[in-house]
Amino acid sequence: MARTVWDSSVGKKTVMAVSGLIMLMYLVAHMIGNLKIFFGPGEFNHYAHWLRTVGEPFMHYEWTLWLIRVVLVVAVVAHAVSAYQLSRRGMKARPSKYVHRKARTSYATRTMRWGGIILGLFIVWHILDLTTGTVHSGGFQEGRPYQNVVDTFSTWYGNVVYLVAMLAVGLHIRHGFWSAAQTLGAGSRTRDRALKTVADILALLLTVGFIAVPVGVMTGVVS
């Protein structure tokens, strides 16, 4: 039954919708946590340590964090695979390009594919930069995320990569949230306007919230 659902276009769209909402909930929590950097290194570093002790003593050190990571990896892979397969299926069903682009197609809709690729590459860079420290500039300091964040956003390329990725996040959420609602049956003629408004607000808040951190470093508010 699971294979039958997965093989159908509706099943793949449902997987995309559910995995997308899981990632959206994570982004909201991640953004709120990021904003703690404006309260100083003590609070931000303490928050990072707390993430590793959530659930103790029932959960061992970092078990909850690793559980969240596993769920996120599954969600990202499921989202990417279903998006790719749906795209390939659509191309096979429509071998020739449209002569005229649909007038109502938004910029976010047209850039969903490239936005997804940008975000996929960003996730890899972000992990190598601030989690493993592999590509980190200025000397990665284990257990001192505040200093590591300041190091990253003290470089021009760190800011460019992050800002481009966060703009892609905003566009992706703006279209993706509404699309997920339609797929899961929450959309209707009466709710469409409200759902699109919620999507716009979520996209704006998350984009501004994430961008606030590098802007804070660039302006010296965070140093």
Side-chain angles (χ1 to χ4, degrees):
M1 181 179 178
R3 182 56 186 268
T4 302
V5 172
W6 171 250
D7 286 341
S8 68
S9 294
V10 173
K12 293 183 190 299
K13 289 180 179 179
T14 301
V15 169
M16 277 194 71
V18 173
S19 59
L21 291 176
I22 290 173
M23 290 186 286
L24 177 60
M25 288 188 289
Y26 168 76
L27 285 174
V28 172
H30 190 40
M31 181 201 69
I32 293 172
N34 281 1
L35 293 176
K36 288 181 177 291
I37 200 167
F38 289 99
F39 296 94
E43 181 157 346
F44 191 72
N45 289 343
H46 175 71
Y47 162 70
H49 176 72
W50 172 81
L51 288 175
R52 289 157 173 75
T53 60
V54 173
E56 288 186 342
F58 178 73
M59 298 290 281
H60 191 61
Y61 182 76
E62 284 195 343
W63 277 13
T64 302
L65 183 60
W66 274 105
L67 181 61
I68 293 171
R69 286 170 174 169
V70 170
V71 171
L72 281 172
V73 168
V74 172
V76 169
V77 172
H79 197 78
V81 171
S82 54
Y84 174 76
Q85 292 184 352
L86 281 169
S87 177
R88 295 293 298 175
R89 187 170 292 183
M91 290 172 66
K92 288 180 180 179
R94 190 182 61 250
S96 59
K97 295 182 179 179
Y98 289 122
V99 176
H100 299 289
R101 181 179 291 160
K102 292 183 179 179
R104 293 187 177 181
T105 302
S106 68
Y107 181 76
T109 303
R110 297 196 301 269
T111 57
M112 283 294 283
R113 182 184 304 173
W114 284 109
I117 293 173
I118 290 171
L119 292 177
L121 294 173
F122 169 75
I123 290 172
V124 174
W125 177 82
H126 197 51
I127 291 172
L128 293 176
D129 178 35
L130 292 175
T131 301
T132 66
T134 307
V135 299
H136 185 74
S137 61
F140 185 77
Q141 302 180 60
E142 188 69 40
R144 303 185 70 187
Y146 182 95
Q147 288 74 13
N148 293 331
V149 169
V150 171
D151 285 344
T152 291
F153 297 130
S154 295
T155 62
W156 67 267
Y157 57 86
N159 287 312
V160 170
V161 170
Y162 196 84
L163 292 174
V164 169
M166 292 308 103
L167 291 175
V169 164
L171 288 172
H172 216 73
I173 291 172
R174 184 172 180 268
H175 174 72
F177 179 82
W178 180 84
S179 181
Q182 302 300 311
T183 298
L184 297 176
S188 68
R189 288 185 177 180
T190 56
R191 289 195 290 264
D192 268 2
R193 184 181 294 275
L195 287 170
K196 288 181 178 179
T197 300
V198 171
D200 289 342
I201 293 173
L202 274 173
L204 180 62
L205 287 178
L206 284 168
T207 303
V208 172
F210 279 116
I211 286 178
V213 177
V215 170
V217 175
M218 285 188 286
T219 57
V221 174
V222 177
S223 63

